[in-house]
Amino acid sequence: MTAAAATLGTLRRAAARRLTDAGIDTPALDARILVATAVGLAPNALPLAEDREVTPGEAAAIAAMLARRAAGEPVARIVGSREFWGLPFALNADTLVPRPDSETVIEAALAFVDQGGSRSRPLRLVDIGTGSGALLVALASELPAATGLGIDLSPGAAAAARDNAARLGVGDRLLFVIGSYADCAGPADVVVTNPPYIESGVIAGLAAEVRDHDPRLALDGGADGLDAYRAIIPQLQRVMADDGRAFLEIGAAQAEAVSALADQQGFAARVHRDLAGHDRVVELSRQAAVRP
């Protein structure tokens, strides 16, 4: 069958076979997303259009995307966006791909907000190392009167976050700046962060999708993976409001170490687990004890 006579269904099935042969874990799903994106359809609309013939230009676009995926590039990088908290976030080379595990940060932060009253309060938010802006924008989407600051060392990441916030309707309440952990301003009612926390010596052994495509700046946490926490936690003394909370995403084996660093700075720690049952977020407060 020639490319001009091929249908979307034919190419989707061929794409899934190619990705299977390349050892991709989710070949059918990835093929559906890539084929749909290449021809300008939503993935869930593809089954209704599988008999449509594909133009040579569309066939070439599909082939190019498949080649990138077969080589190990993540789907989100290829299509340029990833959904997080039900919102589509555009990506660039300077941003991490938002991952479902990070939604634990949002869940924990909103639970704290709900304990204190209405989500319509004029809360102040800070996102340290904002990346694509996923954490801050997601929180702002749930807190209609909140204002926030997102800070990142990378100009490209700060620009991506700013664009995402504007496109998703919360840009008028959020400010994104380029800077280090020490440049954060407060006091904030809610501080969130997903800092680099992977040990430097482990990065070479990560899956190629992460190692070769996520920015090293957003991955490398130093020799023991804790450098960012050593820098951030002392800053919370001035950034976090007296009755505020900070929510730090961590690696699955870092809860004890991060909690110990917090204790040294006079913070109480509470650990939240993700849906897989792994320690994922350390919640910090100034209180002598954290409510059970």
Side-chain angles (χ1 to χ4, degrees):
M1 179 176 289
T2 66
T7 65
L8 286 175
T10 299
L11 290 186
R12 180 191 59 77
R13 290 186 289 273
R17 290 193 295 271
R18 178 176 180 184
L19 295 182
T20 298
D21 292 342
I24 300 301
D25 290 339
T26 53
L29 174 62
D30 293 1
R32 185 170 76 250
I33 293 172
L34 294 177
V35 169
T37 300
V39 300
L41 292 174
N44 60 4
L46 189 60
L48 299 178
E50 289 209 330
D51 291 334
R52 177 166 83 75
E53 290 188 358
V54 178
T55 69
E58 289 172 336
I62 292 169
M65 286 185 168
L66 285 174
R68 292 168 65 181
R69 184 67 186 113
E73 187 172 351
V75 169
R77 294 284 179 200
I78 297 169
V79 303
S81 67
R82 178 66 176 266
E83 184 175 292
F84 179 84
W85 202 252
L87 302 170
F89 286 86
L91 309 174
N92 64 27
D94 296 310
T95 60
L96 282 175
V97 176
R99 293 175 171 84
D101 291 344
S102 297
E103 292 189 353
T104 309
V105 175
I106 307 302
E107 292 167 352
L110 291 177
F112 162 66
V113 170
D114 290 342
Q115 289 172 6
S118 169
R119 291 190 182 186
S120 296
R121 288 174 289 154
L123 298 167
R124 296 155 297 178
L125 315 174
V126 167
D127 182 5
I128 302 174
T130 192
S132 66
L135 295 180
L136 186 57
V137 171
L139 280 175
S141 74
E142 298 283 354
L143 305 171
T147 56
L149 170 70
I151 191 165
D152 203 288
L153 284 170
S154 165
R162 189 177 301 114
D163 290 346
N164 280 322
R167 183 172 43 79
L168 294 170
V170 296
D172 60 335
R173 296 188 280 120
L174 304 179
L175 174 67
F176 295 94
V177 299
I178 303 163
S180 71
Y181 305 138
D183 297 322
C184 290
D189 302 295
V190 176
V191 180
V192 293
T193 182
N194 179 13
Y197 57 70
I198 299 175
E199 297 173 16
S200 301
V202 171
I203 292 176
L206 295 176
E209 292 190 8
V210 176
R211 181 192 65 228
D212 298 339
H213 298 283
D214 277 340
R216 178 92 181 209
L217 182 65
L219 296 175
D220 194 339
D224 62 358
L226 300 175
D227 283 0
Y229 302 105
R230 293 191 184 93
I232 290 171
I233 291 172
Q235 300 299 329
L236 296 177
Q237 295 287 4
R238 63 177 182 80
V239 174
M240 191 171 75
D242 288 344
D243 58 351
R245 290 287 192 281
F247 300 87
L248 288 63
E249 181 166 343
I250 59 169
Q254 293 176 321
E256 184 175 349
V258 172
S259 295
L261 290 173
D263 181 68
Q264 292 169 14
Q265 296 293 324
F267 293 107
R270 174 186 178 186
V271 178
H272 298 264
R273 292 181 174 177
D274 60 26
L275 290 177
H278 300 135
D279 292 340
R280 186 57 57 194
V281 174
V282 173
E283 175 183 347
L284 302 184
S285 74
R286 298 182 188 274
Q287 300 174 6
V290 178
R291 283 173 282 182

